[in-house]
Amino acid sequence: MVALRARLAETELITVEELEALSDKALLRRDDVHEFVVAQVEAFGKRAGLRGFERPKENLFLTAVDWTADNELLTPSLKKARGNLARQFAPQLNKMLVARRE
């Protein structure tokens, strides 16, 4: 979140005062912030030489939840704990799948 806030502070998208006033969750719910992150991911994918189908599109879910071994979203060897991630983010995943089908 610190890196995202720093990048947003460099833009004219949101003022520093707004950044300081918003909680992480409120910041991540903003459509303009979501669009900014999607554009950044797309630009990074292009620079990395990823083809169109290899780059994520608008269907990104932003969360302020840290993925750690302590909250069991990562295994002790720091691999994704897929079952726990699926349970934690089931509503968001279902929403993304429905949107993709439409």
Side-chain angles (χ1 to χ4, degrees), residues 72-75 79-88 93:
E72 297 182 347
L73 295 179
L74 295 178
T75 67
K79 296 177 183 170
K80 293 182 289 270
R82 294 179 190 275
N84 292 345
L85 286 166
R87 280 187 290 284
Q88 172 83 25
L93 292 169

Side-chain angles (χ1 to χ4, degrees), residues 19-35:
L19 277 173
E20 291 172 352
L22 288 171
S23 70
D24 289 348
K25 286 183 181 181
L27 182 65
L28 294 177
R29 280 192 219 116
R30 289 179 53 135
D31 289 337
D32 54 350
V33 171
H34 186 269
E35 291 169 10

Side-chain angles (χ1 to χ4, degrees), residues 1-12 14 16 19 27 36:
M1 283 303 302
V2 173
L4 175 59
R5 286 180 181 274
R7 293 281 296 157
L8 287 168
E10 296 171 356
T11 70
E12 295 180 6
I14 186 168
V16 174
L19 277 173
L27 182 65
F36 174 79

